[in-house]
Amino acid sequence: MTIRISSDSTLDLSPELIDRYEVSVVSLTVSKDGKYYKDMLEIQPDEIFAHVAAGGDLCTTSAANVADYIEHFTELRKTCDAVIHVNLSADFSACYRNACLAAEEVDGVYVVDSRNLSTGHGLVVIEAANMVREGLAPDVIAERLRELTSRVEASFILDQLAYLKKGGRCSAVAAFGANLFNLKPCISVVNGKMDVTKKYRGSFEKCLREYVKDRLEGREDLVLDRIFVTHTAVADGIAELVIEEIKKYAPFAEILETTAGCTISCHCGPNTLGILFIHQ
């Protein structure tokens, strides 16, 4: 039985990983100055940062629509028996709902809500691809993925709150206080939603060291296959610093560095970095 893996563009896997796991991707839409672009195909995060730095409004993202998904699934089904499609959390976007509506029109499509974002979502996609290679049936894969989603840990440290403030997700007073006291919030995905779970204080480098320690030290429940270090534009050496900190606490088989795509970039801005992994 031939099964294809599909996802939306918020999975934040590198082109090399998308090729390795043979993932077919549906792009969200990014709006910039009233013009619309296909996420990661027609616009990249550095263009978003340059636009905002030049005084432009924040860019926004919108879900792939039902017609996009119907076209995508129909094309895939020409060459396979079933499609496993993994979406960004339904609490963040209409992508999951639209994909489910499209799946009602195209036989053999199994839609899974990752309950996550960025490479937290990407981790679920990779596990889906591995299950296909194991020869599991599509309904079994979908069921196992839905169980897996509660075991994915995704979080990010933000060096600055300018984008959250500009987007109305953080008050001017809160942003001023964070800057005044040199606070760096940690945003975690909890039950499919984002929440501030801790505030670190000090330089970005100091906060990242504490953050990695908090997430990994003394853990005996880690699935050690892989961990992602996913970030927007950060200074040279920052990602390498985090990778070396990870090695102090856990022997992951793969430490994968990826650049966050347009969705995380639009909402969090530059100098955002997270570690994302699975626990038992």
Side-chain angles (χ1 to χ4, degrees), residues 108-157:
V109 178
Y110 298 77
V111 182
V112 176
D113 180 354
S114 74
R115 306 296 291 152
N116 225 294
L117 49 66
S118 188
T119 45
H121 168 192
L123 282 163
V124 179
V125 171
I126 288 173
E127 291 303 316
N130 287 335
M131 290 178 196
V132 168
R133 292 174 182 179
E134 290 172 16
L136 298 179
D139 57 336
V140 174
I141 294 172
E143 181 180 353
R144 291 191 181 185
L145 292 177
R146 292 181 184 118
E147 182 276 329
L148 170 70
T149 60
S150 64
R151 298 191 286 111
V152 177
E153 292 192 29
S155 58
F156 290 87
I157 292 278

Side-chain angles (χ1 to χ4, degrees), residues 94-269:
C95 282
Y96 174 70
R97 182 192 65 196
N98 291 348
C100 288
L101 290 171
E104 294 176 5
E105 305 297 323
V106 183
D107 291 338
V109 178
Y110 298 77
V111 182
V112 176
D113 180 354
S114 74
R115 306 296 291 152
N116 225 294
L117 49 66
S118 188
T119 45
H121 168 192
L123 282 163
V124 179
V125 171
I126 288 173
E127 291 303 316
N130 287 335
M131 290 178 196
V132 168
R133 292 174 182 179
E134 290 172 16
L136 298 179
D139 57 336
V140 174
I141 294 172
E143 181 180 353
R144 291 191 181 185
L145 292 177
R146 292 181 184 118
E147 182 276 329
L148 170 70
T149 60
S150 64
R151 298 191 286 111
V152 177
E153 292 192 29
S155 58
F156 290 87
I157 292 278
L158 278 65
D159 186 37
Q160 45 89 9
L161 300 181
Y163 273 55
L164 291 182
K165 174 178 173 290
K166 199 166 186 177
R169 296 175 179 84
C170 168
S171 71
V173 173
F176 175 75
N179 291 334
L180 182 65
F181 295 106
N182 205 15
L183 298 177
K184 317 293 185 192
C186 174
I187 296 179
S188 301
V189 179
V190 181
N191 296 323
K193 301 178 181 180
M194 286 190 292
D195 195 14
V196 176
T197 52
K198 186 167 183 176
K199 295 176 182 176
Y200 293 90
R201 185 172 183 176
S203 70
F204 196 33
E205 293 88 344
K206 173 179 178 292
C207 292
L208 287 171
R209 288 190 176 94
E210 293 178 8
Y211 160 68
V212 173
K213 182 179 180 180
D214 285 347
R215 290 282 163 174
L216 300 180
E217 186 181 36
R219 297 281 296 267
E220 297 183 356
D221 64 339
L222 299 172
V223 174
L224 296 173
D225 294 343
R226 65 189 59 83
I227 185 172
F228 278 98
V229 177
T230 300
H231 57 83
T232 60
V234 293
D236 290 345
I238 291 293
E240 290 78 9
L241 177 152
V242 171
I243 289 169
E244 291 307 309
E245 290 298 308
I246 289 170
K247 291 177 181 177
K248 293 179 182 179
Y249 301 107
F252 286 96
E254 287 188 300
I255 301 176
L256 300 165
E257 180 188 350
T258 65
T259 301
C262 292
T263 299
I264 291 292
S265 298
C266 283
H267 296 297
C268 297

